[in-house]
Amino acid sequence: ALHIRDVENVRLVDRVSPKKAALGTLYLTATHVIFVENSPDTRKETWILHSQISTIEKQATTATGCPLLIRCKNFQIIQLIIPQERDCHDVYISLIRLARPVKYEELYCFSFNPMLDKEEREQGWVLINLSEEYKRMGLPNNYWQLSDVNREYRVCDSYPTELYVPKSATAHIIVGSSKFRSRRRFPVLSYYYKDNHASICRSSQPLSGFSARCLEDEQMLQAIRKANPGSDFVYVVDTRPKLNAMANRAAGKGYENEDNYSNIKFQFIGIENIHVMRNSLQKMLEVCELKSPSMSDFLWGLENSGWLRHIKAIMDAGIFIAKAVSEEGASVLVHCSDGWDRTAQVCSVASLLLDPHYRTLKGFMVLIEKDWISFGHKFNHRYGNLDGDPKEISPVIDQFIECVWQLMEQFPCAFEFNERFLIHIQHHIYSCQFGNFLCNSQKERRELKIQERTYSLWAHLWKNRADYLNPLFRADHSQTQGTLHLPTTPCNFMYKFWSGMYNRFEKGMQPRQSVTDYLMAVKEETQQLEEELEALEERLEKIQKVQLNCTKVKCKQSEPSKHSGFSTSDNSIANTPQDYSGNLKSFPSRSPSQGDEDSALILTQDNLKSSDPDLSANSDQESGVEDLSCRSPSGGEHAPSEDSGKDRDSDEAVFLTA
Amino acid sequence: MEFAELIKTPRVDNVVLHRPFYPAVEGTLCLTGHHLILSSRQDNTEELWLLHSNIDAIDKRFVGSLGTVIIKCKDFRIIQLDIPGMEECLNIASSIEALSTLDSITLMYPFFYRPMFEVIEDGWHSFLPEQEFKLYSSATSQWRLSYVNKEFAVCPTYPPIVIVPESIDDETLRKVATFRHGGRFPVLSYYHQKSKRVIMRSGQPLTGTNGRRCKEDEKLINATLRAGSRGYIIDTRSLNVAQQARAKGGGFEQEAHYPQWRRIHKSIERYHILQESLIKLVEACNDQTHNMDRWLSKLEASNWLTHIKEILTAACLVAQCIDREEASVLIHGTEGTDSTLQVTSLAQIILEPRSRTIRGFEALIEREWLQAGHPFQQRCAQSAYCNTKQKWEAPVFLLFLDCVWQILRQFPCSFEFNENFLIMLFEHAYASQFGTFLGNSESERCKLKLQQKTMSLWSWVNQPSKLSKYTNPLFEANNLVIWPSVAPQSLLLWEGIFLRWNRSSKYLDEAYEEMVNIIEYNKELQAKVNILRRQLAELETEDEMQESP
């Protein structure tokens, strides 16, 4: 990576207390914006990937310099003040260019090198294997078969080559049906529920216009119905609002006419389109960005954004489908317009509700690989990886990830992974550090030889899985078994604002102690204790035997294991007060952070659990910046907590009385 | 016997009970002097055992001869009883109505309750002011206990013993009392050992429109300042409200007369505004028909979280004055019995690790709420469902508990108690078998002879078997000041209270159990390992001794 330029005496403004600003140097590299604080104690680094940059705003120059506001796709907001207007302009122009690459080869994943050998990289790419997944579902079987109709992407270029279709659907039917569907996305299997043979299938909208029909398409739906002997009908779920679907008829598209298809039950579930969702997120982020908003500003703004209403709509659709499959035993065909946004959301939510496998770490990766990556969700367009039409951008998968979080809040023991896992996946969908989410389809990825040239995120997450485990998950727990049952009564208050995602860089707003981290530390210690116990028992037995034989054996006293007190340094809550005085300008008279111990601790907070080093402080790309001699003290190093000593004492007390 | 007269029908068979998240149960309904009991006579358990004093409102309706009584409780639960027979139903309804609105305190259940447990420690003596003062007296000699209010003559809402500056004699206190609302002269609320600064509280100064002053009052509060240092007066009313108070003889400290003090106004709502907020909030939580958007706007319109934010912000400001500015603080509103106590007690939660332990929190409630004269009887007379709105009813204490919950959520490992403990306190403040929250002040409690005639809540709670339910398994003593975030994103609806009866907590309860299991298992192993280590060590020393006699 190239070191493009650097600017000294730049100030990084603290968004919570704007009076505080860190002085440092700004570096631009080919892949990152890096800010390094001058403060010799910390030399704290802030790394921003160019691909994370959403907008850059140059604000009016003031006496102190020229402010530059960078908003990121992972919801980080960076405000810099650059002393010289000329420098600021340069940085601005450079970033505009860097943040909007025009060729895939410019993206970070093509230069990112985690120092793995070729074999390891290849291993990484086979970690998640969809053929295995279909096998796990129980396929192929008497009703479903693997079709090679789409080999070399001959029928549909946004579909994968490996597709499951009903056994009775001949190539003729499939091809015929594909001609009657938007972008030739004909009905295929997304999930097979082996308990009762019901399935979730997906497609795009039919090209029905006002009256057109297609025999093969009708046969295709019949074939899906026949593949489920337990039910005499198929639900067809159109995830669009009815009005939108009707408007599509004028363009020769539309929805299935129940009269033409035998034994279907047609159902609209109104999820808004990508443009509504983009605006909704925009509005919600404006609320998150408000400076010291009142409670009413916040709640009113949140409601006005409609964001949680949209989340609920997606969940409702997922719940409907999961119920149809598990309770009615009916198969469901899901589509929206093109069948790659709302359809992906709804199919994956329903699968997650139905199948505990998708609630495990690996299963969740499989789910995203299947419903999103393989079925041609347009990652490049939706997340703006390459410079493109801004109207194509929409937080479609962000919404799905939030749905999962909402479920985790209600079923705390049902998921093997924790919130951090979701946040890191969201981050990497935008980071372009790994090849998984590049391009708009499997076809494009193959052409670009992604697997030969980049690394897989799944392997990276799997390697660090200890950081992503939910300590409350137990495979044999009742919550983890079978279908997740949500209450039937509409509980609107179920859906909550996800501050851990949208305000995740405002550390002060998050709970200052993490129950998850605490419990993980306890579990880790428990495991060590189990091992020690076993070893002690063994030794004791040995000694007793030896003593019985009146033989003298010398044993070295064991080192008492250090009871860490679960490191409360992770949880250490040293923090600083906010501005509680409201508009009283002269208060506090003294800045609370003047030379106090807490502000130093807050740094360890920032680095807390940056298990994924590339998230906040990327050290892999350091080589690009020659004079970055000092690395950030990423994770692991924590100020000793006051409590740990105390705990050791109490531990010893137990030891003495025992 | 008074109760027998009120109970028109003591018993009805074939009553069907509907409760949220339980199947309907048919059984026999019994009315006693203090309880409403329903039993299906299966497994020897009662499906419902409800204190009449927990009933906030009842509705009745009829379909043919089948009557339905809907009981709305002060803890926000709503239950429904289907009672066959119109007459029975009417009798039951009117009996419940009468029994739940007894106007004499001495007829309340605590005067009849006989404990079924052995009292190990009498809670009435658990938190004596003298003992609490010992904690301070070892650190500073600037303060003394005063018995000036021994007969409740100086201030009817203060306890007999208060902590005042060492240099101020009782005579001065008497004079200051005449200058402060309700005789509530400034007293010590909290001494912060680290900064050696204090929180004091009082009623508003009675300056009136002509700016009356009181040299003794100035002397008293100045006595708490070091030479050359300044303090802060936090007035929990807006400047506007404080100015209006002058017309009624109240007011605030004039800068000219208190040059060493800087006054800050932090507006915290009181009385019916809070009560209405609670009513709206509970209504929104119970309304299951609206869509997502209306829920948020109803939550917003209730203003409950706005009140939470205001109270927490004021408490944080006080803590900031003490810990960061190293300045002492005097807090008052009008009477000094509501918002003042919310702020003084929350500031202590933030500053003082001891108040985050079970024992310390009980002491805080005893000191800053009960002895400080928060009128529990008046404030908690009714809850969210009552139609007869009285000026003095207000969920002041519930707001305080909610604020504590907010801090607990942000610092889940820093409190010795858990959410259940806060919920339990809320329940007992509104309806209880114990005498602790009866009466409006220490003087009323004395007159009622509560110590002799009723049981203290603390006697019951502090039994080891009960405490385990209220202990936070995540607790690790933390000696730091904990600064909560008051950003709207950080303040949540307290589901454990407000959605308690509207959503199943099954999965959350399972998660809590799992958490307890993880920690318990760890402790168990730790103990086992320690025993084995000791055994090994012993065996090995034996070895050595045999080796080298």
mmCIF file of all heavy atoms in Angstrom, chain A residues 122-137:
data_model
loop_
_atom_site.group_PDB
_atom_site.id
_atom_site.type_symbol
_atom_site.label_atom_id
_atom_site.label_comp_id
_atom_site.label_asym_id
_atom_site.label_seq_id
_atom_site.Cartn_x
_atom_site.Cartn_y
_atom_site.Cartn_z
ATOM 1 N N GLU A 122 -7.048 -21.482 0.812
ATOM 2 C CA GLU A 122 -8.007 -22.376 0.151
ATOM 3 C C GLU A 122 -8.891 -23.083 1.173
ATOM 4 O O GLU A 122 -10.091 -23.216 0.992
ATOM 5 C CB GLU A 122 -7.259 -23.392 -0.715
ATOM 6 C CG GLU A 122 -6.783 -22.772 -2.006
ATOM 7 C CD GLU A 122 -5.780 -23.646 -2.740
ATOM 8 O OE1 GLU A 122 -5.486 -24.764 -2.266
ATOM 9 O OE2 GLU A 122 -5.274 -23.195 -3.786
ATOM 10 N N GLN A 123 -8.265 -23.501 2.266
ATOM 11 C CA GLN A 123 -9.032 -24.113 3.363
ATOM 12 C C GLN A 123 -10.131 -23.173 3.830
ATOM 13 O O GLN A 123 -11.245 -23.578 4.103
ATOM 14 C CB GLN A 123 -8.090 -24.404 4.544
ATOM 15 C CG GLN A 123 -7.109 -25.524 4.314
ATOM 16 C CD GLN A 123 -7.716 -26.852 4.682
ATOM 17 O OE1 GLN A 123 -8.218 -26.999 5.791
ATOM 18 N NE2 GLN A 123 -7.707 -27.786 3.766
ATOM 19 N N GLY A 124 -9.755 -21.902 3.935
ATOM 20 C CA GLY A 124 -10.705 -20.889 4.385
ATOM 21 C C GLY A 124 -11.934 -20.832 3.506
ATOM 22 O O GLY A 124 -13.056 -20.694 3.988
ATOM 23 N N TRP A 125 -11.709 -20.962 2.219
ATOM 24 C CA TRP A 125 -12.842 -20.844 1.300
ATOM 25 C C TRP A 125 -13.755 -22.063 1.311
ATOM 26 O O TRP A 125 -14.894 -21.984 0.866
ATOM 27 C CB TRP A 125 -12.350 -20.573 -0.122
ATOM 28 C CG TRP A 125 -11.973 -19.126 -0.307
ATOM 29 C CD1 TRP A 125 -10.731 -18.608 -0.461
ATOM 30 C CD2 TRP A 125 -12.872 -18.000 -0.319
ATOM 31 N NE1 TRP A 125 -10.780 -17.237 -0.575
ATOM 32 C CE2 TRP A 125 -12.095 -16.838 -0.497
ATOM 33 C CE3 TRP A 125 -14.264 -17.861 -0.196
ATOM 34 C CZ2 TRP A 125 -12.640 -15.556 -0.547
ATOM 35 C CZ3 TRP A 125 -14.810 -16.584 -0.257
ATOM 36 C CH2 TRP A 125 -13.997 -15.447 -0.436
ATOM 37 N N VAL A 126 -13.269 -23.207 1.786
ATOM 38 C CA VAL A 126 -14.161 -24.375 1.802
ATOM 39 C C VAL A 126 -14.801 -24.602 3.169
ATOM 40 O O VAL A 126 -15.547 -25.532 3.354
ATOM 41 C CB VAL A 126 -13.446 -25.674 1.332
ATOM 42 C CG1 VAL A 126 -13.028 -25.534 -0.120
ATOM 43 C CG2 VAL A 126 -12.259 -25.984 2.219
ATOM 44 N N LEU A 127 -14.509 -23.697 4.111
ATOM 45 C CA LEU A 127 -15.087 -23.845 5.457
ATOM 46 C C LEU A 127 -16.612 -23.890 5.394
ATOM 47 O O LEU A 127 -17.264 -24.694 6.046
ATOM 48 C CB LEU A 127 -14.636 -22.680 6.354
ATOM 49 C CG LEU A 127 -15.215 -22.668 7.756
ATOM 50 C CD1 LEU A 127 -14.567 -23.750 8.614
ATOM 51 C CD2 LEU A 127 -15.036 -21.312 8.420
ATOM 52 N N ILE A 128 -17.161 -23.002 4.602
ATOM 53 C CA ILE A 128 -18.609 -22.969 4.453
ATOM 54 C C ILE A 128 -18.935 -23.581 3.103
ATOM 55 O O ILE A 128 -18.548 -23.063 2.056
ATOM 56 C CB ILE A 128 -19.127 -21.513 4.525
ATOM 57 C CG1 ILE A 128 -18.802 -20.905 5.898
ATOM 58 C CG2 ILE A 128 -20.627 -21.449 4.246
ATOM 59 C CD1 ILE A 128 -19.286 -21.711 7.085
ATOM 60 N N ASN A 129 -19.659 -24.670 3.153
ATOM 61 C CA ASN A 129 -19.867 -25.461 1.960
ATOM 62 C C ASN A 129 -21.360 -25.694 1.766
ATOM 63 O O ASN A 129 -22.003 -26.384 2.545
ATOM 64 C CB ASN A 129 -19.123 -26.794 2.152
ATOM 65 C CG ASN A 129 -19.254 -27.697 0.959
ATOM 66 O OD1 ASN A 129 -20.221 -27.610 0.197
ATOM 67 N ND2 ASN A 129 -18.280 -28.575 0.788
ATOM 68 N N LEU A 130 -21.906 -25.092 0.709
ATOM 69 C CA LEU A 130 -23.355 -25.176 0.529
ATOM 70 C C LEU A 130 -23.832 -26.567 0.131
ATOM 71 O O LEU A 130 -24.943 -26.951 0.478
ATOM 72 C CB LEU A 130 -23.826 -24.136 -0.491
ATOM 73 C CG LEU A 130 -23.793 -22.682 0.009
ATOM 74 C CD1 LEU A 130 -24.419 -21.753 -1.025
ATOM 75 C CD2 LEU A 130 -24.516 -22.538 1.342
ATOM 76 N N SER A 131 -22.988 -27.318 -0.581
ATOM 77 C CA SER A 131 -23.415 -28.687 -0.916
ATOM 78 C C SER A 131 -23.660 -29.470 0.365
ATOM 79 O O SER A 131 -24.638 -30.207 0.492
ATOM 80 C CB SER A 131 -22.332 -29.396 -1.734
ATOM 81 O OG SER A 131 -21.925 -28.579 -2.782
ATOM 82 N N GLU A 132 -22.753 -29.277 1.315
ATOM 83 C CA GLU A 132 -22.912 -29.931 2.618
ATOM 84 C C GLU A 132 -24.213 -29.489 3.286
ATOM 85 O O GLU A 132 -24.902 -30.272 3.927
ATOM 86 C CB GLU A 132 -21.745 -29.533 3.538
ATOM 87 C CG GLU A 132 -20.435 -30.194 3.205
ATOM 88 C CD GLU A 132 -20.489 -31.693 3.441
ATOM 89 O OE1 GLU A 132 -21.032 -32.101 4.491
ATOM 90 O OE2 GLU A 132 -20.012 -32.447 2.568
ATOM 91 N N GLU A 133 -24.502 -28.197 3.131
ATOM 92 C CA GLU A 133 -25.684 -27.652 3.784
ATOM 93 C C GLU A 133 -26.960 -28.295 3.234
ATOM 94 O O GLU A 133 -27.848 -28.671 3.992
ATOM 95 C CB GLU A 133 -25.710 -26.129 3.618
ATOM 96 C CG GLU A 133 -27.014 -25.452 4.030
ATOM 97 C CD GLU A 133 -27.421 -25.695 5.477
ATOM 98 O OE1 GLU A 133 -26.582 -26.198 6.266
ATOM 99 O OE2 GLU A 133 -28.580 -25.411 5.823
ATOM 100 N N TYR A 134 -27.038 -28.414 1.910
ATOM 101 C CA TYR A 134 -28.232 -29.051 1.344
ATOM 102 C C TYR A 134 -28.320 -30.503 1.795
ATOM 103 O O TYR A 134 -29.398 -31.020 2.061
ATOM 104 C CB TYR A 134 -28.234 -28.931 -0.182
ATOM 105 C CG TYR A 134 -28.511 -27.523 -0.672
ATOM 106 C CD1 TYR A 134 -27.524 -26.762 -1.281
ATOM 107 C CD2 TYR A 134 -29.768 -26.950 -0.488
ATOM 108 C CE1 TYR A 134 -27.783 -25.463 -1.721
ATOM 109 C CE2 TYR A 134 -30.033 -25.652 -0.918
ATOM 110 C CZ TYR A 134 -29.035 -24.914 -1.533
ATOM 111 O OH TYR A 134 -29.291 -23.638 -1.951
ATOM 112 N N LYS A 135 -27.171 -31.133 1.935
ATOM 113 C CA LYS A 135 -27.143 -32.505 2.425
ATOM 114 C C LYS A 135 -27.694 -32.555 3.855
ATOM 115 O O LYS A 135 -28.466 -33.418 4.228
ATOM 116 C CB LYS A 135 -25.702 -33.032 2.395
ATOM 117 C CG LYS A 135 -25.601 -34.484 1.974
ATOM 118 C CD LYS A 135 -24.153 -34.938 1.911
ATOM 119 C CE LYS A 135 -23.483 -34.652 0.579
ATOM 120 N NZ LYS A 135 -22.024 -34.887 0.628
ATOM 121 N N ARG A 136 -27.276 -31.564 4.649
ATOM 122 C CA ARG A 136 -27.742 -31.500 6.037
ATOM 123 C C ARG A 136 -29.257 -31.376 6.107
ATOM 124 O O ARG A 136 -29.917 -31.937 6.977
ATOM 125 C CB ARG A 136 -27.084 -30.309 6.757
ATOM 126 C CG ARG A 136 -27.340 -30.262 8.252
ATOM 127 C CD ARG A 136 -26.991 -28.904 8.839
ATOM 128 N NE ARG A 136 -27.868 -27.853 8.342
ATOM 129 C CZ ARG A 136 -29.047 -27.532 8.875
ATOM 130 N NH1 ARG A 136 -29.499 -28.187 9.932
ATOM 131 N NH2 ARG A 136 -29.793 -26.571 8.346
ATOM 132 N N MET A 137 -29.819 -30.596 5.161
ATOM 133 C CA MET A 137 -31.276 -30.440 5.138
ATOM 134 C C MET A 137 -31.965 -31.752 4.771
ATOM 135 O O MET A 137 -33.169 -31.881 4.963
ATOM 136 C CB MET A 137 -31.673 -29.412 4.062
ATOM 137 C CG MET A 137 -31.374 -27.979 4.375
ATOM 138 S SD MET A 137 -32.021 -26.991 2.977
ATOM 139 C CE MET A 137 -31.052 -25.526 3.130
#
